[in-house]
Amino acid sequence: MYEKLVDIIVNYVEVKKEDIKPESRFMEDLGFTSFDFMSMLGEIEDALDVEIDQEQAADIRTVQEAADYLSKLV
């Protein structure tokens, strides 16, 4: 799940795959805007055929937290 997530992240921000770490924070470290983050969530929902709870998504700060959350959905 982590690798799939990294593949999607690089479509939204100017960051190399090797620079994305599990502890990387979407806003502070990777430069996501709120719009980028919400757009990415939409793509993830389509790609993985899952429904992401917006309130729970708002609590996700790091790449690993996102991967863990998505792992529970699929």
Side-chain angles (χ1 to χ4, degrees):
M1 183 58 63
Y2 178 80
E3 289 302 322
K4 282 185 185 179
L5 185 57
V6 169
D7 288 340
I8 294 172
I9 289 170
V10 295
N11 294 327
Y12 287 90
V13 289
E14 297 288 325
V15 178
K16 295 178 187 159
K17 283 185 183 184
E18 58 269 17
D19 293 337
I20 299 173
K21 307 288 185 232
E23 64 275 9
S24 295
R25 297 168 297 173
F26 285 100
M27 309 293 184
E28 297 88 339
D29 301 325
L30 301 178
F32 269 79
T33 64
S34 297
F35 180 77
D36 292 334
F37 190 71
M38 297 311 284
S39 297
M40 181 189 70
L41 293 181
E43 180 178 338
I44 291 169
E45 285 181 324
D46 292 343
L48 302 178
D49 195 30
V50 295
E51 188 167 328
I52 295 171
D53 181 279
Q54 298 301 321
E55 286 186 22
Q56 289 181 328
D59 292 333
I60 293 172
R61 299 282 177 258
T62 68
V63 176
Q64 187 63 57
E65 287 174 7
D68 292 345
Y69 174 72
L70 293 171
S71 292
K72 294 176 191 171
L73 295 181
V74 294

